[in-house]
């Protein structure tokens, strides 16, 4: 350890704990937000498996659907759904911070930028649901 | 409000101590007292060896930043009464090396601030005979919020990335760079971009957002950084798609 | 840039897809499209393009975000070569797989 000299005192640097993100709730919330991206990737894995099953014929597809019904998968996927919705809401709420829009010199309040995102989200979700549900 | 409240204060003497420790003091609990008043009481009447930085005691100089019960605060703006019955833990600002007691070494920030070039950069200086720069209120509005920074460094104490990555420029430095980039009088955006737009500059920021939460002047450094990222990304796209147009 | 695009696609499209295919249909809350009608939907080139985008962009979003979470959360930045290969490599692999699968459906 270096010792103090007249003009350069020995400063103390605290090591950052591996569990720094547990020390304050805002940090934990941040890590959970980032981990939602893992569930986003998980969705892609499921989607690719589904497409592969579709490609391999009706029996493969039925097996895939049975697999989706197993309790572990349902549990994982409900968690995934919650995290993916968490990703969507935090994403929409944060975008206005990056893009301050102005109309005639006055800054548009964040709510007016966030709200349209939610409307578009609802509209797109409804459209996709309609296409898939009418069979 | 009468009675006393206990303060647990970090003490560290570099030539005597191997690492910092806490020392307790009892101070009067006065309604109008802030943590800074309590610290000055200790230094005046109890223990003259206690060292800490302060100056204006009214939230404008940015000197008195410390961790109060684990949160970065200006001690001149933090009332003792809000923490009654206590005890109140007063520690030096996180993520900086501790020099002595509650004093931290901030030269890392000063270097990074210098790199952000926080002054108006002009391609050619405007002669005095041409008069002053004219700016509309709308133009002022694009950067005014970011100019409120008092360099108190609470945002650095709150930023987990700064604690983990010593090369990260940090919230205040980037917010001040954005303050000048957004200023209509400034022409130095490209110069600043070359210095800041690398993996440890603005891109190490993961938008945790705690810097904005703790800022005593509502500067919103997180917003400034995201705006800067957007500008940098647009510049990168432009240079990618239209390399000939670069200034 | 890929990160932002992936984030938007993930935010807008994944919730409804996940809800329908992985919760509502398996649990029987709603009746999903049958095998033949799904295949019929996939005949449209637009559907395949849509699915390709749905699969590849969010993977790049994950790659970038997970990489930084590993750096910051677990402080293992010194393993950054390994982390980068895993994250971006994984995203590229997924994209290639998606392209292959969607291309090869009859």
């Amino acid at each position: 350890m270096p010792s103090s000299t007249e003009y350069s005192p020995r400063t103390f640097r605290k090591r950052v704990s591996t569990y720094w993100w547990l020390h304050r709730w805002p940090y934990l919330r941040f890590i959970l937000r980032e981990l939602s991206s893992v569930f986003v990737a998980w969705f892609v894995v499921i989607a690719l498996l589904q497409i592969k099953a579709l490609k391999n014929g009706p029996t493969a597809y039925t097996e895939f659907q049975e697999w989706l019904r197993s309790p572990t998968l349902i549990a994982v996927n409900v968690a995934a759904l919650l995290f993916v919705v968490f990703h969507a809401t935090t994403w929409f709420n944060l975008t206005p911070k990056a893009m301050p829009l102005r109309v005639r010199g006055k800054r548009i309040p964040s709510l007016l930028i966030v709200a349209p995102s939610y409307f578009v989200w609802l509209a797109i979700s409804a459209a996709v649901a309609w296409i898939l549900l009418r069979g | 409000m009468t009675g006393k409240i206990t303060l647990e204060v970090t003490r560290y003497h570099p030539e005597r101590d191997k690492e910092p420790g806490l020392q307790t003091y009892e101070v009067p609990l006065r309604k109008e007292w802030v943590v800074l008043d309590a610290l000055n009481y200790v230094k005046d009447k109890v223990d003259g060896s206690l060292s800490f930085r302060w100056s204006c005691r009214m939230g404008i100089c940015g000197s008195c930043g410390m961790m109060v019960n684990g949160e970065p605060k200006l001690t001149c703006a933090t009332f003792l009464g809000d923490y009654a019955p206590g005890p109140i833990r007063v520690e030096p600002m996180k993520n900086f090396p501790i020099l002595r007691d509650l004093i931290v070494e901030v030269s890392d920030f000063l270097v990074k601030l210098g790199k952000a070039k926080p002054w108006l950069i002009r391609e050619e200086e405007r002669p005095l005979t041409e008069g002053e720069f004219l700016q509309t209120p709308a133009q002022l509005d694009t950067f005014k919020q970011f100019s409120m920074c008092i360099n108190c460094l609470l945002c650095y104490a709150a930023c987990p990335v700064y604690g983990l990555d010593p090369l990260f420029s940090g919230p205040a430095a980037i917010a001040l760079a954005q303050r000048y980039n957004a200023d209509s009088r400034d022409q130095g955006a490209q110069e600043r971009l070359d210095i800041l737009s690398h993996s440890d500059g603005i891109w190490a920021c993961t938008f945790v957002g705690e810097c904005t939460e703790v800022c005593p002047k509502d500067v919103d450094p997180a917003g400034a950084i995201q705006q800067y990222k957007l500008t940098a990304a647009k510049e990168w796209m432009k240079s990618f798609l239209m390399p000939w147009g670069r200034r | 840039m890929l990160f932002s695009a992936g984030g938007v696609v993930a935010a807008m499209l994944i919730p409804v897809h996940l809800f329908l295919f992985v919760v509502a249909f398996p649990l029987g809350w709603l009746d999903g499209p049958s095998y033949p009608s799904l295949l019929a939907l996939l005949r449209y080139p637009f559907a395949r393009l849509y699915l390709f985008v749905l699969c590849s962009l969010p993977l790049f979003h994950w790659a970038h975000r997970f990489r930084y979470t590993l750096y910051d959360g677990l402080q293992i930045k010194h393993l950054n070569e390994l982390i980068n290969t895993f994250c971006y490599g994984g995203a590229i692999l997924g994209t290639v797989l998606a392209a292959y699968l969607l291309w090869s459906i009859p």
Side-chain angles (χ1 to χ4, degrees):
Chain A
M1 207 174 303
S3 52
S4 305
T5 61
E6 191 178 351
Y7 292 105
S8 206
R10 179 164 63 85
T11 55
F12 179 81
R13 257 226 112 101
K14 216 178 227 174
R15 245 224 74 201
V16 181
S17 148
T18 317
Y19 302 104
W20 62 268
W21 41 275
L22 283 173
H23 292 164
R24 294 182 66 198
W25 162 240
Y27 292 160
L28 182 61
R29 196 177 54 208
F30 161 70
I31 288 286
L32 286 175
R33 184 191 92 195
E34 299 302 286
L35 284 181
S36 69
S37 68
V38 172
F39 289 95
V40 165
W42 168 247
F43 164 76
V44 175
V45 168
I46 295 257
L48 288 178
L49 285 173
Q50 184 184 23
I51 298 174
K52 183 157 105 73
L54 269 176
K55 192 180 97 143
N56 288 344
T59 23
Y61 191 65
T62 326
E63 271 172 24
F64 175 75
Q65 286 185 306
E66 276 309 306
W67 179 64
L68 278 184
R69 272 188 258 271
S70 63
T72 15
L73 254 299
I74 296 277
V76 168
N77 288 327
V78 167
L81 183 65
L82 290 171
F83 270 100
V84 159
V85 168
F86 184 52
H87 160 82
T89 45
T90 48
W91 185 265
F92 294 143
N93 291 346
L94 289 178
T95 12
K97 286 225 160 176
M99 295 186 297
L101 295 174
R102 285 186 161 78
V103 167
R104 283 199 288 269
K106 275 183 77 173
R107 189 148 159 195
I108 303 183
S110 299
L111 191 64
L112 278 183
I113 303 184
V114 170
S117 306
Y118 280 99
F119 280 129
V120 173
W121 186 33
L122 226 63
I124 291 188
S125 301
V128 169
W130 181 73
I131 294 179
L132 289 174
L133 286 174
R134 74 186 169 117
Chain B
M1 203 176 282
T2 52
K4 304 233 167 213
I5 191 166
T6 314
L7 251 51
E8 287 168 1
V9 183
T10 302
R11 302 303 309 271
Y12 171 66
H13 193 300
E15 272 158 36
R16 281 200 306 252
D17 302 330
K18 211 162 60 120
E19 54 177 41
L22 287 174
Q23 188 167 350
T24 36
Y25 301 103
E26 271 219 323
V27 299
L29 179 57
R30 297 241 168 85
K31 185 180 75 170
E32 66 280 355
W33 271 22
V34 288
V35 175
L36 181 59
D37 292 323
L39 291 173
N40 271 318
Y41 173 87
V42 169
K43 193 166 175 81
D44 274 344
K45 307 237 166 57
V46 182
D47 181 351
S49 71
L50 179 62
S51 308
F52 50 96
R53 283 196 180 115
W54 66 283
S55 183
C56 72
R57 91 263 183 277
M58 62 182 196
I60 195 65
C61 72
S63 307
C64 67
M66 296 176 214
M67 306 300 283
V68 177
N69 279 6
E71 296 197 351
K73 297 255 187 217
L74 292 181
T75 48
C76 66
T78 313
F79 285 89
L80 288 181
D82 293 341
Y83 293 85
I88 308 179
R89 209 172 63 245
V90 184
E91 294 161 299
M93 274 199 292
K94 215 155 56 129
N95 302 335
F96 289 101
I98 305 176
L99 212 41
R100 177 167 172 158
D101 293 347
L102 297 164
I103 301 175
V104 294
E105 169 66 73
V106 298
S107 39
D108 180 60
F109 164 69
L110 293 172
V111 168
K112 289 172 176 163
L113 182 62
K115 289 201 179 140
K117 301 201 186 217
W119 50 78
L120 285 178
I121 297 176
R122 303 279 302 174
E123 281 174 3
E124 251 182 53
E125 283 304 325
R126 188 184 161 110
L128 281 174
T129 44
E130 270 184 43
E132 70 274 35
F133 290 113
L134 293 178
Q135 203 169 50
T136 67
Q139 286 173 316
L140 175 63
D141 204 43
T142 53
F143 67 88
K144 181 162 183 204
Q145 192 182 14
F146 307 142
S147 71
M148 294 308 182
C149 176
I150 59 175
N151 289 5
C152 65
L153 304 188
L154 294 189
C155 53
Y156 283 73
C159 175
V161 180
Y162 183 66
L164 293 162
D165 179 3
L167 295 175
F168 178 41
S169 308
I174 304 176
L176 283 162
Q178 178 61 10
R179 172 253 176 279
Y180 282 94
N181 284 352
D183 192 326
S184 55
R185 301 168 290 178
D186 176 83
Q187 291 167 337
Q190 193 58 52
E191 258 183 76
R192 292 192 194 95
L193 208 63
D194 291 336
I195 292 168
L196 288 174
S197 183
H198 62 87
S199 60
D200 291 305
I202 60 179
W203 299 108
C205 165
T206 49
F207 205 168
V208 178
E210 275 304 285
C211 52
T212 294
E213 289 298 315
V214 302
C215 178
K217 296 315 231 177
D218 290 324
V219 172
D220 189 15
I225 300 177
Q226 307 321 307
Q227 282 183 37
Y228 201 163
K229 283 186 191 170
L230 200 68
T231 324
K234 279 199 264 189
E235 285 300 308
W236 176 84
M237 293 265 281
K238 277 204 282 193
S239 71
F240 196 66
L241 298 169
M242 306 181 296
W244 52 86
R246 191 163 157 148
R247 261 218 313 207
Chain C
M1 287 265 78
L2 278 176
F3 166 77
S4 316
V8 174
V9 167
M12 289 285 182
L13 297 175
I14 293 189
V16 71
H17 274 267
L18 201 65
F19 174 66
L20 289 176
F21 277 110
V22 154
V23 179
F25 298 161
L27 285 178
W29 296 349
L30 292 165
D31 279 327
S34 58
Y35 180 81
S37 46
L38 264 182
L39 264 190
L41 267 179
L42 277 178
R43 298 230 187 281
Y44 295 101
F46 176 72
R48 301 201 192 191
L49 188 61
Y50 170 84
L51 282 174
F52 178 66
V53 166
L54 185 64
C55 288
S56 83
L57 281 180
L59 275 184
F60 283 100
H61 176 85
W62 163 81
H64 183 91
R65 224 169 180 183
F66 196 59
R67 172 179 159 214
Y68 276 98
T69 311
L70 287 177
Y71 282 176
D72 293 337
L74 296 176
Q75 292 183 60
I76 47 178
K77 199 167 179 180
H78 47 281
L79 292 174
N80 73 341
E81 317 244 306
L82 195 66
I83 296 176
N84 284 1
T85 328
F86 173 67
C87 289
Y88 293 110
I92 295 178
L93 184 68
T95 306
V96 165
L97 263 174
Y100 164 71
L101 281 173
L102 287 166
W103 190 266
S104 61
I105 295 185

